[in-house]
Amino acid sequence: MVKGNRVALIGTGFVGSSYAFGLLNQGVADELIMIDLNEEKAKGDVLDLNHGKVFAQQSLNISFGTYEDCKDVDLVVICAGANQKPGETRLQLVEKNLKIFHSIVTQVVDSGFDGIFLVATNPVDVLTYAVWKYSGFPKERVIGSGTILDTARFRYLLGEYFQVAPQNVHGYIIGEHGDSELPVYSSVDVGGVAVLDMIKKHPQYTQEDLDDIFVNVRDAAYQIINSKGATYYGIAMGLVRITRAILHNENSILTVSALMEGQYGEDDVYIGVPAVINRSGVREVIELNLSDKEKEQFAHSANVLREILKPHF
């Protein structure tokens, strides 16, 4: 058995295999176990990735496995689940994926797994809540990818607009990873200068443009799906980023799906918020100072998620 940072990936579809590729390239973990109902697909990915190891900067031990192999891993990343079919409602998709997740989580916990769950499958906030309920794990050790990708898209588009590197744009998309999410423009800054001040001082920047940027962020997945059928590179890199923060005990602030227990006036819902991430999982949720409009939007987003959860829990 390889000692060190060990990850089990459940689901080797577009997102899962892209995550594995990112993990290999970035040298974040020491071992990756790939698990999928379609064993041949997972075994093919293992072979393909192993053939590229000679070009990787750091060795990653990659193998095919089963749920029993989750016993000694530090992190279980779930990318498995059904995709939305044409004509299928989001609620029908929820029903289908909850059944799949109940089976997955039960088998992982039965293996003796005692690490952290990281969930990527959509609707991610709902399914992360389900993993928390099904596993019986403490809330800190069940994390969803939340709005990490929405926030990355947001920073990228704002960087393009203001012509600065996205790393120098600081701001968050919070709420449901979906149609009810919101931009926290009240706290966005570019190199320390508040964006709302910038649009007051510089006539070339307008609130209308900022509103358009958010619409592009919110609807980005639809654009990509229309073009190529699915989104996977961006979210895979977001998952690698969360993995690094966990395994390397970074105490990094990332927008993930975390359980609300009074923060932002919300309870008993997993939702995208900035949180400090380290080896123990979610160390704490960061409470941004929201404007009145943002508070209303966030409450609406939390209610949307609770309504979806209500029939099931």
Side-chain angles (χ1 to χ4, degrees):
M1 185 180 77
V2 175
K3 294 248 169 97
N5 290 320
R6 309 183 74 216
V7 178
L9 166 66
I10 299 170
T12 63
F14 283 132
V15 173
S17 54
S18 299
Y19 169 73
F21 183 66
L23 216 55
L24 174 61
N25 276 295
Q26 294 191 35
V28 173
D30 300 300
E31 180 171 8
L32 174 64
I33 299 164
M34 301 183 75
I35 302 164
D36 198 284
L37 208 56
N38 182 345
E39 292 189 6
E40 284 308 308
K41 163 74 168 79
K43 286 174 180 173
D45 276 328
V46 168
L47 274 174
D48 201 1
L49 289 162
N50 275 325
H51 294 161
K53 271 163 73 169
V54 71
F55 308 117
Q57 291 182 358
Q58 188 177 321
S59 183
L60 173 67
N61 191 61
I62 307 168
S63 60
F64 169 78
T66 62
Y67 289 112
E68 288 79 37
D69 297 309
C70 294
K71 182 179 189 297
D72 297 310
V73 303
D74 304 292
L75 179 68
V76 165
V77 180
I78 307 180
C79 297
N83 293 320
Q84 200 161 351
K85 291 186 174 160
E88 186 175 42
T89 70
R90 197 151 155 264
L91 292 177
Q92 287 169 325
L93 181 66
V94 168
E95 192 80 45
K96 208 156 52 175
N97 276 334
L98 284 174
K99 284 182 185 153
I100 294 167
F101 266 56
H102 189 269
S103 168
I104 289 170
V105 174
T106 303
Q107 291 177 85
V108 171
V109 172
D110 286 350
S111 76
F113 172 65
D114 193 34
I116 293 169
F117 279 105
L118 174 56
V119 182
T121 311
N122 281 322
V124 69
D125 305 288
V126 172
L127 293 175
T128 307
Y129 185 92
V131 171
W132 174 59
K133 284 290 191 186
Y134 296 154
S135 67
F137 275 30
K139 66 182 187 299
E140 295 83 7
R141 293 201 280 125
V142 180
I143 307 169
S145 53
T147 50
I148 192 163
L149 178 55
D150 312 87
T151 293
R153 288 167 172 156
F154 189 47
R155 293 172 68 194
Y156 164 73
L157 289 173
L158 285 169
E160 292 278 290
Y161 182 62
F162 292 109
Q163 294 188 303
V164 296
Q167 293 88 339
N168 299 121
V169 177
H170 302 283
Y172 301 109
I173 299 287
I174 62 171
E176 173 203 15
H177 174 55
D179 294 341
S180 70
E181 67 187 30
L182 61 132
V184 189
Y185 271 125
S186 63
S187 64
V188 175
D189 74 77
V190 177
V193 180
V195 159
L196 295 182
D197 288 343
M198 290 175 79
I199 62 171
K200 282 178 195 162
K201 289 178 186 169
H202 303 283
Q204 72 266 40
Y205 305 133
T206 67
Q207 183 63 52
E208 290 72 28
D209 288 345
L210 296 186
D211 293 341
D212 288 345
I213 284 170
F214 168 64
V215 170
N216 281 330
V217 169
R218 188 193 62 205
D219 297 344
Y222 300 122
Q223 294 169 18
I224 296 167
I225 288 165
N226 284 340
S227 297
K228 63 176 225 172
T231 76
Y232 37 94
Y233 297 135
I235 187 58
M237 289 180 75
L239 291 170
V240 173
R241 180 69 194 91
I242 299 168
T243 301
R244 180 188 292 278
I246 293 168
L247 297 180
H248 296 194
N249 198 32
E250 283 186 350
N251 290 303
S252 288
I253 297 173
L254 302 169
T255 41
V256 297
S257 192
L259 183 70
M260 296 294 96
E261 292 183 311
Q263 300 96 333
Y264 297 98
E266 299 300 335
D267 272 298
D268 198 37
V269 66
Y270 264 83
I271 193 166
V273 286
V276 181
I277 306 296
N278 64 17
R279 189 76 192 203
S280 60
V282 175
R283 194 191 81 195
E284 66 180 286
V285 168
I286 302 294
E287 283 198 75
L288 301 169
N289 190 13
L290 303 181
S291 70
D292 289 344
K293 183 189 173 192
E294 289 162 353
K295 284 176 187 169
E296 280 175 32
Q297 289 174 304
F298 189 80
H300 168 68
S301 196
N303 284 332
V304 166
L305 290 168
R306 265 193 294 265
E307 286 302 310
I308 297 168
L309 289 165
K310 205 180 277 180
H312 307 288
F313 296 98

